[in-house]
């Protein structure tokens, strides 16, 4: 979750994903830009969890944030996505 870069983003992801069916625990690490989720295999999948994170407006591995959800994020959280994108190489 590279676009989760502040406590407000972290709290949002932890709050909503913890309530997803089958999720038993979640911990977002802002510094490492990772999210660790424990879930019950018979109730959900990793793909469902990634989609849920993307539906909140944050990138999750190979799944990009849902555009309409991203637009509803607080302004400071929307700015994180721009700073998290790799910058193109500049030729001199």
């Amino acid at each position: 979750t590279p676009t989760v870069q502040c406590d407000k983003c972290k709290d949002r992801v932890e709050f909503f994903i913890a309530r997803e069916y089958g999720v038993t625990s979640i911990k977002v690490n802002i510094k490492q830009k990772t999210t660790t989720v424990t879930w019950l295999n018979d109730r959900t999948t990793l793909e469902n969890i990634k989609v849920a994170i993307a539906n909140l407006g944050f990138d999750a591995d190979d799944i990009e944030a849902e555009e309409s959800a991203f637009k509803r994020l607080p302004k400071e959280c929307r700015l994180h996505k721009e700073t998290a994108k790799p910058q193109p190489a500049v030729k001199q």
Side-chain angles (χ1 to χ4, degrees):
T1 47
T3 54
V4 176
Q5 296 187 15
C6 70
D7 286 330
K8 190 177 275 192
C9 297
K10 173 186 178 292
D11 293 344
R12 186 180 198 96
V13 171
E14 288 179 345
F15 179 82
F16 286 106
I17 300 304
R19 283 148 182 80
E20 283 291 313
Y21 182 71
V23 171
T24 57
S25 71
I26 179 167
K27 180 68 177 156
V28 176
N29 186 316
I30 297 170
K31 289 182 182 181
Q32 293 180 351
K33 299 181 182 180
T34 59
T35 299
T36 304
V37 182
T38 306
W39 68 91
L40 301 172
N41 287 326
D42 61 336
R43 299 198 180 141
T44 194
T45 64
L46 177 58
E47 202 64 25
N48 288 343
I49 294 166
K50 287 182 190 180
V51 168
I53 292 170
N55 288 341
L56 287 174
F58 300 99
D59 294 346
D61 288 338
D62 56 336
I63 300 177
E64 290 204 14
E66 213 298 308
E67 190 64 31
S68 62
F70 174 74
K71 289 178 180 178
R72 289 190 306 266
L73 289 174
K75 184 178 179 180
E76 60 271 19
C77 295
R78 288 192 310 263
L79 294 175
H80 297 317
K81 184 165 182 155
E82 296 303 316
T83 60
K85 287 183 180 178
Q87 298 299 318
V90 177
K91 293 183 180 181
Q92 293 185 4

Coordinates of all heavy atoms in Angstrom, one line a residue:
T1 N 0.8 -1.2 0.0 CA 0.0 0.0 0.0 C 0.9 1.2 0.0 O 1.0 1.9 1.0 CB -0.9 0.0 1.2 OG1 -0.2 -0.3 2.4 CG2 -2.1 -1.0 1.1
P2 N 1.5 1.5 -1.1 CA 2.5 2.7 -1.2 C 1.8 4.0 -1.0 O 2.5 5.0 -0.7 CB 3.1 2.5 -2.6 CG 2.1 1.8 -3.4 CD 1.4 0.8 -2.4
T3 N 0.5 4.2 -1.3 CA -0.1 5.5 -1.2 C -0.7 5.8 0.2 O -1.2 6.8 0.4 CB -1.2 5.6 -2.3 OG1 -2.1 4.5 -2.1 CG2 -0.7 5.6 -3.7
V4 N -0.5 4.8 1.1 CA -0.9 5.1 2.5 C 0.4 5.7 3.2 O 1.3 5.0 3.5 CB -1.3 3.8 3.2 CG1 -1.6 4.0 4.7 CG2 -2.5 3.2 2.5
Q5 N 0.3 7.0 3.4 CA 1.5 7.7 3.9 C 1.4 8.5 5.1 O 2.3 9.2 5.5 CB 2.2 8.5 2.7 CG 2.6 7.6 1.6 CD 3.3 8.4 0.5 OE1 3.8 9.6 0.8 NE2 3.5 7.8 -0.6
C6 N 0.2 8.6 5.7 CA 0.0 9.4 6.9 C -1.0 8.6 7.8 O -1.6 7.6 7.5 CB -0.6 10.7 6.5 SG -2.3 10.7 6.0
D7 N -1.1 9.1 9.1 CA -1.9 8.4 10.1 C -3.4 8.4 9.7 O -4.1 7.5 10.0 CB -1.7 9.1 11.4 CG -0.4 8.7 12.1 OD1 0.1 7.6 11.8 OD2 0.1 9.5 12.8
K8 N -3.8 9.5 9.0 CA -5.2 9.5 8.6 C -5.5 8.4 7.6 O -6.5 7.7 7.7 CB -5.5 10.9 7.9 CG -7.0 11.1 7.7 CD -7.2 12.5 7.2 CE -7.3 13.5 8.3 NZ -7.8 14.8 7.9
C9 N -4.6 8.2 6.6 CA -4.8 7.1 5.6 C -4.7 5.8 6.3 O -5.5 4.9 6.1 CB -3.6 7.2 4.6 SG -3.6 8.6 3.6
K10 N -3.7 5.6 7.2 CA -3.5 4.4 8.0 C -4.8 4.0 8.7 O -5.3 2.9 8.7 CB -2.3 4.5 8.9 CG -2.1 3.4 9.9 CD -1.0 3.8 10.8 CE -0.7 2.7 11.9 NZ -1.8 2.5 12.8
D11 N -5.3 5.0 9.5 CA -6.5 4.7 10.3 C -7.7 4.3 9.4 O -8.5 3.5 9.8 CB -6.9 6.0 11.1 CG -5.8 6.3 12.2 OD1 -5.0 5.4 12.5 OD2 -5.8 7.4 12.7
R12 N -7.8 5.0 8.3 CA -8.9 4.7 7.3 C -8.9 3.3 6.8 O -9.9 2.5 6.9 CB -8.9 5.7 6.2 CG -10.0 5.6 5.2 CD -9.8 6.7 4.1 NE -11.1 6.9 3.4 CZ -11.9 7.9 3.7 NH1 -11.6 8.8 4.7 NH2 -13.0 8.1 3.0
V13 N -7.7 2.8 6.4 CA -7.5 1.5 5.9 C -7.8 0.5 7.0 O -8.5 -0.5 6.8 CB -6.1 1.3 5.2 CG1 -5.9 -0.2 4.9 CG2 -6.0 2.1 4.0
E14 N -7.2 0.7 8.1 CA -7.3 -0.3 9.3 C -8.8 -0.4 9.7 O -9.3 -1.5 10.0 CB -6.4 0.1 10.4 CG -5.0 -0.2 10.1 CD -4.0 0.2 11.3 OE1 -4.4 0.9 12.2 OE2 -2.9 -0.2 11.2
F15 N -9.5 0.8 9.8 CA -10.8 0.8 10.2 C -11.8 0.0 9.3 O -12.5 -0.9 9.7 CB -11.3 2.2 10.4 CG -12.8 2.3 10.8 CD1 -13.1 2.2 12.2 CD2 -13.8 2.5 9.9 CE1 -14.4 2.3 12.6 CE2 -15.1 2.6 10.3 CZ -15.4 2.5 11.6
F16 N -11.7 0.3 8.0 CA -12.6 -0.3 7.1 C -12.2 -1.8 6.7 O -13.1 -2.6 6.6 CB -12.7 0.5 5.8 CG -13.5 1.8 6.0 CD1 -12.9 3.0 6.1 CD2 -14.9 1.7 6.2 CE1 -13.7 4.2 6.4 CE2 -15.7 2.9 6.4 CZ -15.0 4.1 6.5
I17 N -11.0 -2.1 6.5 CA -10.6 -3.4 6.2 C -10.8 -4.4 7.3 O -11.2 -5.5 7.1 CB -9.2 -3.5 5.6 CG1 -9.0 -2.6 4.4 CG2 -8.8 -4.9 5.3 CD1 -10.0 -2.9 3.3
A18 N -10.7 -3.9 8.6 CA -10.9 -4.8 9.7 C -12.4 -5.2 9.8 O -12.7 -6.3 10.3 CB -10.6 -4.0 11.0
R19 N -13.3 -4.5 9.1 CA -14.7 -4.9 9.1 C -15.1 -5.7 7.9 O -16.2 -6.1 7.7 CB -15.5 -3.6 9.1 CG -15.5 -3.1 10.6 CD -15.6 -1.6 10.6 NE -15.6 -1.1 12.0 CZ -14.5 -1.0 12.7 NH1 -13.3 -1.3 12.2 NH2 -14.5 -0.5 14.0
E20 N -14.1 -6.0 7.0 CA -14.4 -6.9 5.8 C -14.6 -8.3 6.3 O -14.0 -8.8 7.2 CB -13.2 -6.9 4.9 CG -13.1 -5.6 4.0 CD -14.2 -5.5 3.0 OE1 -14.5 -6.5 2.3 OE2 -14.8 -4.4 2.9
Y21 N -15.6 -9.0 5.7 CA -15.9 -10.3 6.1 C -14.7 -11.2 5.9 O -14.0 -11.3 4.9 CB -17.1 -10.8 5.1 CG -17.5 -12.2 5.4 CD1 -18.3 -12.4 6.6 CD2 -17.2 -13.3 4.6 CE1 -18.7 -13.7 6.9 CE2 -17.7 -14.5 4.9 CZ -18.4 -14.8 6.1 OH -18.9 -16.0 6.4
G22 N -14.4 -11.9 7.0 CA -13.3 -12.9 7.0 C -12.0 -12.3 7.5 O -11.0 -13.1 7.8
V23 N -11.8 -11.0 7.6 CA -10.6 -10.4 8.1 C -10.5 -10.5 9.6 O -11.5 -10.1 10.3 CB -10.4 -8.9 7.6 CG1 -9.3 -8.3 8.3 CG2 -10.3 -8.9 6.1
T24 N -9.4 -11.0 10.1 CA -9.3 -11.2 11.6 C -8.4 -10.1 12.2 O -8.5 -9.8 13.3 CB -8.8 -12.6 12.0 OG1 -7.5 -12.8 11.3 CG2 -9.8 -13.6 11.6
S25 N -7.4 -9.6 11.4 CA -6.5 -8.5 11.9 C -5.9 -7.8 10.7 O -5.8 -8.3 9.6 CB -5.4 -9.1 12.8 OG -4.5 -9.8 12.1
I26 N -5.5 -6.6 11.0 CA -4.8 -5.7 10.0 C -3.9 -4.8 10.7 O -4.2 -4.2 11.7 CB -5.9 -5.0 9.1 CG1 -5.1 -4.1 8.0 CG2 -6.8 -4.2 9.9 CD1 -6.0 -3.6 6.9
K27 N -2.7 -4.6 10.0 CA -1.8 -3.6 10.6 C -1.1 -2.9 9.4 O -0.5 -3.6 8.5 CB -0.7 -4.4 11.4 CG 0.4 -3.5 12.0 CD -0.2 -2.5 13.1 CE 0.9 -1.7 13.7 NZ 0.4 -0.5 14.2
V28 N -1.2 -1.6 9.3 CA -0.6 -0.8 8.3 C 0.7 -0.2 8.8 O 0.8 0.3 9.9 CB -1.5 0.3 7.8 CG1 -0.8 1.2 6.8 CG2 -2.8 -0.3 7.3
N29 N 1.8 -0.4 8.1 CA 3.1 0.2 8.4 C 3.4 1.3 7.4 O 3.7 1.0 6.2 CB 4.2 -0.9 8.4 CG 5.5 -0.4 8.9 OD1 5.9 0.7 8.5 ND2 6.2 -1.1 9.7
I30 N 3.3 2.5 7.8 CA 3.5 3.7 7.0 C 4.9 3.7 6.4 O 5.2 4.0 5.2 CB 3.1 5.0 7.7 CG1 1.6 5.0 8.1 CG2 3.4 6.2 6.8 CD1 1.2 6.1 9.0
K31 N 5.9 3.5 7.3 CA 7.3 3.7 6.9 C 7.7 2.7 5.8 O 8.4 3.0 4.9 CB 8.2 3.6 8.1 CG 8.1 4.8 9.0 CD 9.1 4.6 10.2 CE 8.9 5.9 11.1 NZ 9.8 5.8 12.2
Q32 N 7.2 1.4 6.0 CA 7.6 0.4 5.0 C 6.6 0.3 3.9 O 6.8 -0.5 2.9 CB 7.6 -1.0 5.7 CG 8.8 -1.1 6.7 CD 8.8 -2.5 7.4 OE1 7.9 -3.3 7.3 NE2 9.9 -2.7 8.1
K33 N 5.5 1.1 4.0 CA 4.5 1.1 2.9 C 3.9 -0.2 2.7 O 3.7 -0.7 1.6 CB 5.0 1.7 1.7 CG 5.5 3.2 1.8 CD 6.0 3.8 0.6 CE 6.5 5.2 0.9 NZ 7.0 5.8 -0.3
T34 N 3.6 -1.0 3.8 CA 3.0 -2.3 3.7 C 1.8 -2.4 4.6 O 1.6 -1.6 5.5 CB 4.0 -3.4 4.2 OG1 4.4 -3.1 5.5 CG2 5.3 -3.4 3.3
T35 N 1.0 -3.4 4.3 CA -0.2 -3.7 5.1 C -0.2 -5.2 5.3 O -0.1 -5.9 4.3 CB -1.5 -3.2 4.4 OG1 -1.5 -1.8 4.2 CG2 -2.7 -3.6 5.2
T36 N -0.3 -5.6 6.5 CA -0.3 -7.0 6.9 C -1.7 -7.3 7.3 O -2.3 -6.7 8.2 CB 0.7 -7.3 8.0 OG1 2.0 -6.9 7.6 CG2 0.7 -8.8 8.3
V37 N -2.3 -8.3 6.6 CA -3.7 -8.7 6.9 C -3.7 -10.2 7.2 O -3.1 -11.0 6.5 CB -4.6 -8.4 5.7 CG1 -6.1 -8.8 6.0 CG2 -4.5 -6.9 5.3
T38 N -4.5 -10.6 8.2 CA -4.8 -12.0 8.5 C -6.2 -12.2 8.3 O -7.1 -11.4 8.7 CB -4.4 -12.3 10.0 OG1 -3.1 -11.9 10.3 CG2 -4.6 -13.8 10.3
W39 N -6.6 -13.3 7.6 CA -7.9 -13.6 7.2 C -8.2 -15.1 7.3 O -7.3 -15.9 7.3 CB -8.3 -13.0 5.9 CG -7.6 -13.7 4.7 CD1 -8.1 -14.7 4.0 CD2 -6.4 -13.3 4.1 NE1 -7.2 -15.1 3.0 CE2 -6.1 -14.2 3.1 CE3 -5.4 -12.4 4.4 CZ2 -5.0 -14.2 2.3 CZ3 -4.2 -12.4 3.7 CH2 -4.1 -13.3 2.6
L40 N -9.5 -15.4 7.3 CA -10.0 -16.8 7.2 C -10.1 -17.2 5.8 O -10.9 -16.6 5.1 CB -11.3 -16.9 8.0 CG -11.2 -16.5 9.5 CD1 -12.6 -16.5 10.1 CD2 -10.3 -17.4 10.2
N41 N -9.4 -18.2 5.3 CA -9.4 -18.6 3.9 C -10.7 -19.0 3.4 O -11.0 -18.9 2.2 CB -8.4 -19.7 3.7 CG -6.9 -19.2 3.8 OD1 -6.7 -18.1 3.4 ND2 -6.1 -20.1 4.3
D42 N -11.6 -19.5 4.3 CA -12.9 -20.0 3.8 C -13.9 -18.9 3.7 O -15.0 -19.1 3.3 CB -13.4 -21.1 4.7 CG -13.6 -20.7 6.1 OD1 -12.9 -19.7 6.6 OD2 -14.4 -21.3 6.8
R43 N -13.5 -17.6 4.1 CA -14.4 -16.5 4.1 C -14.1 -15.4 3.1 O -14.9 -14.6 2.7 CB -14.6 -16.0 5.5 CG -15.2 -17.1 6.4 CD -15.7 -16.5 7.6 NE -16.2 -17.6 8.4 CZ -16.2 -17.7 9.7 NH1 -15.6 -16.8 10.4 NH2 -16.6 -18.8 10.3
T44 N -12.8 -15.3 2.8 CA -12.3 -14.2 1.8 C -11.0 -14.6 1.2 O -10.4 -15.7 1.6 CB -12.2 -12.8 2.5 OG1 -12.1 -11.8 1.5 CG2 -11.1 -12.7 3.5
T45 N -10.5 -13.8 0.3 CA -9.3 -14.1 -0.4 C -8.4 -12.8 -0.4 O -8.9 -11.7 -0.2 CB -9.5 -14.5 -1.9 OG1 -10.1 -13.4 -2.6 CG2 -10.4 -15.7 -2.0
L46 N -7.2 -13.0 -0.7 CA -6.2 -11.9 -0.9 C -6.7 -10.9 -1.9 O -6.7 -9.7 -1.7 CB -4.8 -12.4 -1.2 CG -3.8 -11.3 -1.4 CD1 -3.6 -10.4 -0.2 CD2 -2.5 -11.9 -1.8
E47 N -7.3 -11.5 -3.0 CA -7.8 -10.6 -4.1 C -8.9 -9.7 -3.6 O -9.0 -8.5 -3.9 CB -8.2 -11.5 -5.3 CG -8.2 -10.7 -6.6 CD -6.9 -10.2 -7.0 OE1 -5.8 -10.8 -6.7 OE2 -6.9 -9.2 -7.8
N48 N -9.8 -10.3 -2.8 CA -11.0 -9.5 -2.3 C -10.5 -8.4 -1.4 O -11.0 -7.3 -1.4 CB -11.9 -10.4 -1.5 CG -12.7 -11.4 -2.3 OD1 -12.8 -11.2 -3.5 ND2 -13.3 -12.4 -1.7
I49 N -9.4 -8.7 -0.6 CA -8.9 -7.7 0.3 C -8.2 -6.5 -0.5 O -8.4 -5.4 -0.2 CB -7.9 -8.3 1.3 CG1 -8.7 -9.3 2.3 CG2 -7.2 -7.3 2.1 CD1 -7.8 -10.2 3.0
K50 N -7.5 -6.9 -1.5 CA -6.9 -5.9 -2.3 C -7.9 -5.0 -3.0 O -7.8 -3.8 -3.1 CB -6.0 -6.5 -3.4 CG -4.7 -7.1 -3.0 CD -4.0 -7.7 -4.2 CE -2.8 -8.5 -3.9 NZ -2.2 -9.0 -5.1
V51 N -9.0 -5.6 -3.5 CA -10.1 -4.8 -4.1 C -10.7 -3.9 -3.1 O -11.0 -2.8 -3.4 CB -11.1 -5.8 -4.8 CG1 -12.3 -5.0 -5.2 CG2 -10.5 -6.5 -6.0
A52 N -10.9 -4.4 -1.9 CA -11.5 -3.6 -0.8 C -10.6 -2.3 -0.5 O -11.1 -1.2 -0.3 CB -11.7 -4.4 0.5
I53 N -9.3 -2.5 -0.5 CA -8.4 -1.4 -0.3 C -8.4 -0.4 -1.4 O -8.5 0.8 -1.2 CB -6.9 -1.9 -0.1 CG1 -6.8 -2.7 1.3 CG2 -5.9 -0.8 -0.1 CD1 -5.5 -3.5 1.5
A54 N -8.5 -1.0 -2.7 CA -8.6 -0.1 -3.8 C -9.9 0.7 -3.8 O -10.0 1.8 -4.2 CB -8.5 -0.9 -5.1
N55 N -11.0 0.0 -3.3 CA -12.3 0.7 -3.2 C -12.3 1.8 -2.2 O -13.2 2.6 -2.2 CB -13.4 -0.3 -3.0 CG -13.7 -1.2 -4.2 OD1 -13.3 -0.8 -5.3 ND2 -14.3 -2.3 -4.0
L56 N -11.3 1.8 -1.3 CA -11.2 2.9 -0.3 C -10.4 4.1 -0.9 O -10.4 5.2 -0.4 CB -10.4 2.4 0.9 CG -11.1 1.5 1.9 CD1 -10.2 1.0 2.9 CD2 -12.3 2.2 2.5
G57 N -9.8 3.9 -2.1 CA -9.0 4.9 -2.7 C -7.5 4.8 -2.6 O -6.8 5.7 -3.0
F58 N -7.0 3.6 -2.3 CA -5.6 3.4 -2.1 C -5.1 2.3 -3.0 O -5.9 1.3 -3.3 CB -5.2 3.1 -0.7 CG -5.6 4.1 0.3 CD1 -6.8 4.0 1.0 CD2 -4.8 5.2 0.5 CE1 -7.2 5.0 1.9 CE2 -5.2 6.2 1.4 CZ -6.4 6.1 2.1
D59 N -3.9 2.4 -3.5 CA -3.3 1.3 -4.3 C -3.0 0.1 -3.4 O -2.6 0.3 -2.3 CB -2.0 1.7 -5.0 CG -2.3 2.8 -6.1 OD1 -3.4 3.1 -6.4 OD2 -1.3 3.4 -6.5
A60 N -3.2 -1.1 -4.0 CA -2.9 -2.3 -3.2 C -2.2 -3.3 -4.2 O -2.8 -3.9 -5.0 CB -4.2 -3.0 -2.7
D61 N -0.9 -3.4 -4.1 CA -0.1 -4.1 -5.0 C -0.4 -3.8 -6.4 O -0.2 -2.6 -6.8 CB -0.2 -5.7 -4.7 CG 0.4 -6.1 -3.4 OD1 1.3 -5.4 -2.9 OD2 0.0 -7.2 -2.9
D62 N -0.8 -4.7 -7.2 CA -1.1 -4.5 -8.6 C -2.5 -3.9 -8.9 O -2.8 -3.6 -10.1 CB -0.9 -5.8 -9.4 CG -1.8 -6.9 -8.9 OD1 -2.2 -6.8 -7.7 OD2 -2.1 -7.8 -9.6
I63 N -3.3 -3.6 -7.9 CA -4.6 -3.1 -8.1 C -4.6 -1.6 -7.8 O -4.3 -1.2 -6.6 CB -5.7 -3.8 -7.3 CG1 -5.7 -5.3 -7.7 CG2 -7.0 -3.2 -7.5 CD1 -6.6 -6.1 -6.9
E64 N -4.9 -0.8 -8.8 CA -4.9 0.7 -8.5 C -6.1 1.1 -7.8 O -7.2 0.5 -7.9 CB -4.7 1.4 -9.8 CG -3.3 1.2 -10.4 CD -2.9 2.4 -11.3 OE1 -3.5 3.4 -11.3 OE2 -1.9 2.2 -12.0
A65 N -6.0 2.3 -7.1 CA -7.2 2.8 -6.4 C -8.3 3.1 -7.3 O -8.2 3.5 -8.5 CB -6.7 4.1 -5.7
E66 N -9.5 2.9 -6.8 CA -10.8 3.2 -7.5 C -10.9 4.7 -7.6 O -10.8 5.4 -6.6 CB -11.9 2.6 -6.7 CG -13.1 2.1 -7.5 CD -13.8 3.2 -8.4 OE1 -14.2 4.3 -7.9 OE2 -13.9 3.0 -9.6
E67 N -11.0 5.2 -8.8 CA -10.9 6.7 -9.1 C -11.9 7.5 -8.3 O -11.6 8.5 -7.7 CB -11.1 7.0 -10.6 CG -10.7 8.4 -10.9 CD -9.3 8.8 -10.7 OE1 -8.4 7.9 -10.8 OE2 -9.1 10.0 -10.4
S68 N -13.2 7.0 -8.3 CA -14.2 7.8 -7.5 C -14.0 7.8 -6.0 O -14.2 8.8 -5.3 CB -15.6 7.3 -7.8 OG -15.7 5.9 -7.4
A69 N -13.4 6.7 -5.5 CA -13.1 6.6 -4.1 C -11.9 7.5 -3.8 O -11.9 8.2 -2.7 CB -12.8 5.1 -3.7
F70 N -10.9 7.5 -4.7 CA -9.8 8.3 -4.5 C -10.2 9.8 -4.4 O -9.7 10.5 -3.6 CB -8.8 8.1 -5.7 CG -7.6 9.0 -5.6 CD1 -6.6 8.9 -4.7 CD2 -7.5 10.1 -6.5 CE1 -5.5 9.7 -4.7 CE2 -6.5 11.0 -6.5 CZ -5.4 10.8 -5.6
K71 N -11.1 10.2 -5.2 CA -11.5 11.6 -5.2 C -12.3 12.0 -3.9 O -12.3 13.2 -3.6 CB -12.5 11.9 -6.4 CG -11.7 11.9 -7.7 CD -12.6 12.1 -8.9 CE -11.8 12.1 -10.2 NZ -12.7 12.2 -11.4
R72 N -12.8 11.0 -3.2 CA -13.5 11.3 -1.9 C -12.5 11.4 -0.7 O -12.9 11.7 0.4 CB -14.6 10.2 -1.7 CG -15.7 10.4 -2.6 CD -16.9 9.5 -2.2 NE -16.5 8.1 -2.0 CZ -16.7 7.1 -3.0 NH1 -17.1 7.5 -4.1 NH2 -16.3 5.9 -2.7
L73 N -11.3 11.0 -0.9 CA -10.3 11.0 0.2 C -10.0 12.5 0.6 O -10.2 13.4 -0.2 CB -9.0 10.4 -0.3 CG -8.9 8.9 -0.5 CD1 -7.6 8.5 -1.0 CD2 -9.2 8.2 0.8
P74 N -9.6 12.7 1.8 CA -9.2 14.1 2.2 C -8.1 14.6 1.3 O -7.3 13.8 0.8 CB -8.7 13.9 3.7 CG -9.3 12.6 4.1 CD -9.5 11.7 2.9
K75 N -8.0 15.9 1.2 CA -7.1 16.5 0.2 C -5.6 16.0 0.5 O -4.9 15.7 -0.4 CB -7.2 18.0 0.3 CG -6.3 18.7 -0.6 CD -6.4 20.2 -0.5 CE -5.5 20.9 -1.5 NZ -5.6 22.4 -1.4
E76 N -5.2 16.0 1.8 CA -3.8 15.7 2.1 C -3.6 14.2 1.7 O -2.4 13.9 1.3 CB -3.5 15.9 3.5 CG -4.3 15.2 4.5 CD -5.6 15.9 5.0 OE1 -6.0 16.8 4.3 OE2 -6.1 15.6 6.0
C77 N -4.5 13.3 1.8 CA -4.4 11.9 1.4 C -4.3 11.8 -0.1 O -3.5 10.9 -0.6 CB -5.5 11.1 1.9 SG -5.5 11.0 3.8
R78 N -5.0 12.6 -0.9 CA -4.9 12.6 -2.3 C -3.6 13.0 -2.8 O -3.0 12.5 -3.8 CB -6.0 13.5 -3.0 CG -7.4 12.9 -2.8 CD -8.4 13.6 -3.7 NE -8.4 15.1 -3.6 CZ -9.2 15.8 -2.8 NH1 -10.1 15.2 -2.0 NH2 -9.1 17.1 -2.7
L79 N -2.9 13.9 -2.1 CA -1.6 14.4 -2.5 C -0.6 13.3 -2.3 O 0.4 13.3 -3.1 CB -1.2 15.6 -1.6 CG -2.0 16.9 -1.9 CD1 -1.6 18.0 -0.9 CD2 -1.9 17.4 -3.3
H80 N -0.8 12.4 -1.4 CA 0.2 11.3 -1.2 C 0.4 10.4 -2.5 O 1.5 10.0 -2.8 CB -0.2 10.3 -0.1 CG -0.3 11.0 1.2 ND1 0.6 11.9 1.7 CD2 -1.2 10.9 2.2 CE1 0.3 12.3 2.9 NE2 -0.8 11.7 3.2
K81 N -0.7 10.2 -3.2 CA -0.6 9.4 -4.4 C 0.4 10.0 -5.4 O 1.2 9.3 -6.0 CB -1.9 9.2 -5.0 CG -1.9 8.2 -6.2 CD -3.2 7.7 -6.6 CE -3.0 6.8 -7.8 NZ -4.1 5.8 -7.9
E82 N 0.3 11.3 -5.5 CA 1.2 12.0 -6.5 C 2.7 11.9 -6.1 O 3.5 11.7 -6.9 CB 0.8 13.5 -6.6 CG -0.6 13.7 -7.2 CD -0.7 13.1 -8.6 OE1 0.2 13.2 -9.4 OE2 -1.8 12.4 -8.8
T83 N 2.9 12.0 -4.8 CA 4.3 11.9 -4.3 C 4.8 10.4 -4.3 O 6.0 10.2 -4.3 CB 4.5 12.5 -2.9 OG1 3.6 11.7 -2.0 CG2 4.1 13.9 -2.9
A84 N 3.9 9.4 -4.3 CA 4.3 8.0 -4.2 C 4.6 7.5 -5.6 O 5.3 6.5 -5.8 CB 3.2 7.2 -3.6
K85 N 4.2 8.2 -6.7 CA 4.5 7.7 -8.0 C 6.0 7.9 -8.3 O 6.5 8.9 -8.0 CB 3.7 8.5 -9.0 CG 2.2 8.2 -9.1 CD 1.5 9.0 -10.1 CE 0.0 8.6 -10.2 NZ -0.7 9.4 -11.2
P86 N 6.6 6.9 -9.0 CA 8.0 7.1 -9.4 C 8.1 8.2 -10.4 O 7.3 8.3 -11.3 CB 8.3 5.7 -10.0 CG 7.1 5.0 -10.2 CD 6.0 5.6 -9.4
Q87 N 9.1 9.0 -10.3 CA 9.3 10.1 -11.2 C 10.0 9.6 -12.4 O 10.9 8.7 -12.3 CB 10.2 11.2 -10.5 CG 9.5 11.8 -9.3 CD 8.2 12.4 -9.6 OE1 8.1 13.1 -10.6 NE2 7.2 12.2 -8.8
P88 N 9.6 10.1 -13.6 CA 10.3 9.6 -14.9 C 11.8 10.1 -14.9 O 12.1 11.1 -14.3 CB 9.5 10.3 -16.0 CG 8.7 11.4 -15.3 CD 8.6 11.0 -13.8
A89 N 12.6 9.3 -15.5 CA 14.0 9.6 -15.6 C 14.2 10.8 -16.5 O 13.5 10.9 -17.5 CB 14.8 8.4 -16.2
V90 N 15.1 11.7 -16.2 CA 15.3 12.9 -16.9 C 16.7 12.7 -17.6 O 17.7 12.4 -17.0 CB 15.3 14.1 -16.0 CG1 15.7 15.4 -16.8 CG2 14.0 14.3 -15.3
K91 N 16.7 12.9 -18.9 CA 17.9 12.8 -19.7 C 18.6 14.2 -19.7 O 17.9 15.2 -19.9 CB 17.7 12.3 -21.1 CG 17.2 10.9 -21.2 CD 17.1 10.5 -22.6 CE 16.6 9.0 -22.6 NZ 16.4 8.6 -24.0
Q92 N 19.9 14.2 -19.6 CA 20.6 15.4 -19.6 C 21.4 15.5 -20.9 O 21.9 14.7 -21.5 CB 21.5 15.6 -18.4 CG 20.8 15.7 -17.2 CD 21.7 15.9 -16.0 OE1 22.9 16.1 -16.1 NE2 21.1 15.9 -14.8

